[in-house]
Amino acid sequence: MAVRGDIRNVAIVAHVDHGKTTLVNAMLQQSHVFSEREEVPDRVMDSNDLEREKGITILAKNTAVQYTGPLAEKYGHPEGITINVIDTPGHADFGGEVERGISMVDGVVLLVDASEGPLPQTRFVLRKALEAKLPVILCVNKVDRPDARIEEVVSESTDLLLGLAQDVMEEGVDLDLDALLDLPVIYCAAKAGYASTNVPENGGLPDNDDLEPLFESIIANIPAPEYEEGAPLQAHVTNIDASEYLGRLGLIRIYNGTLTKGKQYGLSRVDGSIENFKLTEILRTQGLDRAPVDEAGPGDIVAVAGVSDIMIGETIVDPSDPKPLPLIHVDEPAISMTFAINDSPLAGTEGKDHKLTARMIKDRLEHELIGNVSIHVLPTDRPDAWEVQGRGELALAILAEQMRREGYELTVGRPQVVTKTIDGKINEPMENDTIDVPEEYMGTVTQLMADRKGRMDSMSNHGSGWIRLQFTVPSRGLIGFRTALLSATRGTGISSSISAGYAPWAGQIVTRQNGSMVSDRAGVATPYAMQRLQARGNFFVDPQSQVYEGQVVGVNNKPDELDVNVTLAKHMTNMRSATADVLETLTPPIKMSLEEALDFANEDECVEVTPEAIRVRKLLLNRDDWYKWRSKQRRRDGNK
């Protein structure tokens, strides 16, 4: 096999908020991608508005840095070695992005927080790397944290790596254990741009003030791309982008052969057919920009134009000798939500140019399938509703939020689990959940998990006043759990989970202890009515806002459903009241985000999503129809 020594393709993988994007930022700055006068924002790779707001990476993105340090000349490339870096999401809900990113590279940098250590998503992304037989560099980040415990984290990460390697080998994957035992370790403070191979003091900065040790480790430990000389063209489409001048772009990794601008090639479709096309443009990534080139060879990661409907997983081949690559494998969905048209009385009344129709929503969901391989869109028994399945609640909530910002109006149902029938029994997805909380909340969290059918697997205390609890819990039990955890631990609890396969149905789980306050008529919410009712619970609506029958206007203090009239006006009389001058105060309403509204909604409720508002409402708006439906449900449950 021939080797392309002037390229290294590497993915940076880690748990959420362990510093991947910050490290990529520092790598870009130290490789002089930006000019000295250019103002560089933090987390420059998080270009999506939602990514910046939430502080997480949602989409896998690539960049390229040019390494011209001492190792470049040693390896025979004094002009520099191109390091293609893939910044992947750390959340398991966006696992499809991780799998696509890993399919493009020849090795990974595993980033681990020097205090938190390896967490569930660390396990998830590391397993994907081992299954692909990729070499691993361990980078311990945030060593300057006051609560850093560097040596323990290295030990935990090594144990995790060897444990996962054993699991993967039992599944038939041949791994080099000697290489895993000789794991290269870099100690890093990404925010400061420091890295070293020497172990720093806990809470101290590394003894080197740049990232040169990290660059050198990547050059030395990540293998250069290999290819077969004379082999026919094989270029895998791993992502989709768009240009206002060139139309749709396919982001590809070339494994064999060479692409030349202006030539005719074949595109091997998902169904196995071959479609010929002319390659109109090749764009190579340089820093954050793409520059046109005439040719790209083995190992290159480039964007190409020429096919208006190019899809992820397809292969660009030589039409005279097509040899397509395997499709990208993505884990099965575990959570589903129903996306439907907005049929509330307020539909289309809040703004112009809203996208309301079933056709518009269906087209948008089908468009999402092009660039998101981890979701499925299935028809339902209604022509204006679709079941959207994904890896997790967050991924589907992000899709609904993106549609809302694009001007769509729709209703989104409460998250449901995707079950399987195994040996004639219904099985549901399970999760391994890791919770970090202060010691005084251990009992509270244990009770919360017990209510959700969670089973404690382990408990560890690092002596810092915090305790780590690990549970196996049905995925259903984690719907709405984050809000309950933050309330019970006064905002201090941190929860993260990863799929743990399927297990028999665990029985009924009651996740909400409070009932809903439901408007029994349409009108305008009045301060007078809300003052009379505020002892019953907390409101979601503002005074003087429009409400309709069946809208959930608040949360009841008791578990029962409560029909309320929030439109009641104070009748005027000519009698002077003794309390006329007494000042009445109204508790401010609760403003929920889309994710919080989805967590709050019961099974008979859904969330109305518009560009201007997020409302919880009943599936059946007419109260008489809802009471008839509830009576049928009770009779059915009583007969079981």
Side-chain angles (χ1 to χ4, degrees):
M1 297 286 281
V3 174
R4 182 87 185 270
D6 62 337
I7 291 178
R8 298 293 187 276
N9 295 322
V10 63
I12 298 183
V13 299
H15 181 81
V16 176
D17 202 31
H18 278 197
K20 298 179 300 300
T21 308
T22 303
L23 180 62
V24 174
N25 229 52
M27 293 172 73
L28 288 168
Q29 286 179 315
Q30 294 192 20
S31 57
H32 308 295
V33 166
F34 308 111
S35 67
E36 292 181 5
R37 299 174 184 172
E38 191 173 354
E39 187 175 337
V40 184
D42 288 338
R43 306 194 325 272
V44 70
M45 292 291 284
D46 282 347
S47 53
N48 186 312
D49 288 342
L50 278 172
E51 290 179 318
R52 290 195 171 280
E53 288 174 23
K54 295 181 178 296
I56 61 173
T57 300
I58 295 171
L59 303 172
K61 291 174 282 293
N62 73 302
T63 185
V65 300
Q66 195 74 8
Y67 173 79
T68 54
L71 276 190
E73 188 165 354
K74 178 183 175 182
Y75 279 83
H77 299 281
E79 74 285 355
I81 295 175
T82 300
I83 302 176
N84 290 313
V85 181
I86 310 295
D87 181 20
T88 62
H91 202 291
D93 280 14
F94 307 107
E97 299 287 330
V98 175
E99 284 147 352
R100 277 160 36 190
I102 283 177
S103 72
M104 301 165 69
V105 299
D106 302 301
V108 298
V109 174
L110 175 67
L111 210 62
V112 180
D113 188 293
S115 172
E116 296 179 3
L119 284 168
Q121 268 87 53
T122 312
R123 183 183 186 90
F124 166 77
V125 293
L126 184 55
R127 184 185 180 92
K128 293 295 178 189
L130 291 176
E131 286 173 350
K133 300 204 288 191
L134 299 177
V136 178
I137 297 171
L138 177 63
C139 182
V140 182
N141 192 27
K142 304 185 184 182
V143 294
D144 52 337
R145 280 184 61 159
D147 55 350
R149 43 186 194 91
I150 299 169
E151 292 186 4
E152 293 97 317
V153 165
V154 172
S155 177
E156 289 171 10
S157 303
T158 306
D159 291 346
L160 173 63
L161 182 69
L162 295 176
L164 286 175
Q166 188 68 36
D167 292 345
V168 170
M169 289 174 70
E170 288 175 1
E171 294 175 4
V173 179
D174 184 24
L175 293 177
D176 185 355
L177 274 179
D178 292 337
L180 291 175
L181 288 169
D182 192 21
L183 180 72
V185 182
I186 304 294
Y187 304 93
C188 182
K191 201 165 186 178
Y194 289 17
S196 175
T197 54
N198 300 320
V199 185
E201 293 288 329
N202 286 334
L205 285 168
D207 59 5
N208 182 62
D209 62 359
D210 60 25
L211 295 178
E212 185 67 24
L214 176 62
F215 286 123
E216 291 182 355
S217 185
I218 290 172
I219 300 295
N221 295 288
I222 303 299
E226 294 182 343
Y227 64 99
E228 190 178 336
E229 287 193 61
L233 175 66
Q234 289 179 309
H236 214 187
V237 182
T238 57
N239 211 341
I240 298 294
D241 205 345
S243 162
E244 55 185 291
Y245 304 109
L246 300 170
R248 180 181 287 184
L249 304 175
L251 187 67
I252 63 167
R253 156 78 190 262
I254 303 174
Y255 288 90
N256 284 307
T258 302
L259 280 176
T260 305
K261 179 180 174 181
K263 280 195 172 184
Q264 293 283 336
Y265 294 100
L267 182 66
S268 175
R269 295 292 195 178
V270 175
D271 60 6
S273 63
I274 305 292
E275 177 184 322
N276 290 339
F277 73 100
K278 181 181 179 181
L279 188 64
T280 57
E281 192 63 86
I282 304 174
L283 302 171
R284 179 175 281 128
T285 304
Q286 297 176 354
L288 299 178
D289 300 319
R290 290 191 177 121
V293 293
D294 293 329
E295 196 173 83
D300 276 328
I301 295 174
V302 294
V304 297
V307 186
S308 61
D309 57 348
I310 194 168
M311 295 277 287
I312 290 170
E314 296 175 340
T315 307
I316 298 176
V317 296
D318 184 343
S320 62
D321 187 10
K323 290 188 177 178
L325 294 163
L327 297 175
I328 298 172
H329 169 72
V330 177
D331 290 346
E332 294 181 4
I335 296 291
S336 73
M337 294 183 192
T338 300
F339 283 51
I341 64 166
N342 182 16
D343 58 357
S344 86
L346 298 182
T349 64
E350 296 175 310
K352 294 181 179 179
D353 301 324
H354 286 190
K355 298 166 185 172
L356 304 163
T357 65
R359 181 186 58 81
M360 288 177 171
I361 294 173
K362 184 176 184 240
D363 289 347
R364 176 62 179 83
L365 293 175
E366 288 177 347
H367 177 74
E368 184 69 20
L369 289 173
I370 294 170
N372 190 343
V373 295
S374 59
I375 71 164
H376 298 165
V377 178
L378 306 175
T380 65
D381 54 4
R382 288 173 49 191
D384 57 4
W386 300 266
E387 181 185 352
V388 182
Q389 298 180 346
R391 296 286 285 274
E393 181 186 357
L394 178 61
L396 297 182
I398 291 288
L399 171 58
E401 178 66 24
Q402 287 173 333
M403 292 177 67
R404 182 176 85 86
R405 296 185 181 201
E406 292 167 14
Y408 288 87
E409 286 197 26
L410 65 155
T411 57
V412 183
R414 175 180 170 79
Q416 306 287 340
V417 294
V418 179
T419 59
K420 282 183 177 179
T421 302
I422 303 174
D423 297 330
K425 293 183 179 178
I426 295 178
N427 282 245
E428 63 176 324
M430 305 293 287
E431 304 274 340
N432 284 332
D433 194 50
T434 299
I435 303 171
D436 290 313
V437 290
E439 291 175 347
E440 61 264 31
Y441 296 117
M442 175 186 165
T444 305
V445 171
T446 305
Q447 183 60 50
L448 276 176
M449 271 295 177
D451 293 342
R452 287 164 167 75
K453 310 288 186 183
R455 183 188 72 244
M456 186 184 289
D457 298 324
S458 67
M459 176 180 65
S460 55
N461 191 332
H462 302 302
S464 60
W466 283 66
I467 198 162
R468 175 167 293 177
L469 307 169
Q470 293 184 322
F471 294 88
T472 300
V473 59
S475 298
R476 288 180 297 139
L478 293 182
I479 295 173
F481 174 70
R482 182 174 171 275
T483 304
L485 175 69
L486 291 175
S487 298
T489 61
R490 299 191 179 183
T492 58
I494 302 170
S495 171
S496 52
S497 61
I498 186 173
S499 173
Y502 281 75
W505 187 263
Q508 185 180 7
I509 297 176
V510 179
T511 58
R512 204 175 101 187
Q513 304 299 324
N514 300 81
S516 300
M517 290 200 293
V518 185
S519 176
D520 63 0
R521 68 198 70 195
V524 176
T526 65
Y528 174 71
M530 294 173 71
Q531 284 168 355
R532 288 165 59 97
L533 290 166
Q534 67 179 355
R536 298 293 190 96
N538 295 315
F539 284 101
F540 299 148
V541 296
D542 290 303
Q544 305 301 333
S545 62
Q546 288 282 342
V547 297
Y548 53 83
E549 182 181 5
Q551 180 182 340
V552 178
V553 295
V555 54
N556 189 8
N557 290 333
K558 297 181 179 179
D560 306 323
E561 192 101 335
L562 181 65
D563 283 355
V564 296
N565 177 11
V566 292
T567 66
L568 183 66
K570 185 175 182 180
H571 294 293
M572 303 298 290
T573 71
N574 59 1
M575 299 293 292
R576 182 174 178 85
S577 167
T579 59
D581 297 326
V582 175
L583 182 65
E584 297 269 9
T585 58
L586 191 61
T587 305
I590 299 170
K591 296 297 181 184
M592 292 192 293
S593 67
L594 177 56
E595 289 151 63
E596 290 168 337
L598 288 168
D599 288 346
F600 175 82
N602 265 333
E603 290 185 2
D604 63 335
E605 297 168 351
C606 64
V607 180
E608 179 187 354
V609 181
T610 76
E612 284 76 25
I614 294 169
R615 305 181 187 91
V616 182
R617 47 158 281 193
K618 292 294 179 182
L619 290 170
L620 295 173
L621 294 179
N622 183 280
R623 299 308 289 154
D624 291 337
D625 292 343
W626 182 84
Y627 279 113
K628 290 174 185 175
W629 172 85
R630 189 170 71 163
S631 296
K632 286 181 183 177
Q633 294 292 108
R634 285 177 171 173
R635 285 197 298 271
R636 188 195 66 186
D637 295 341
N639 292 331
K640 284 185 178 179

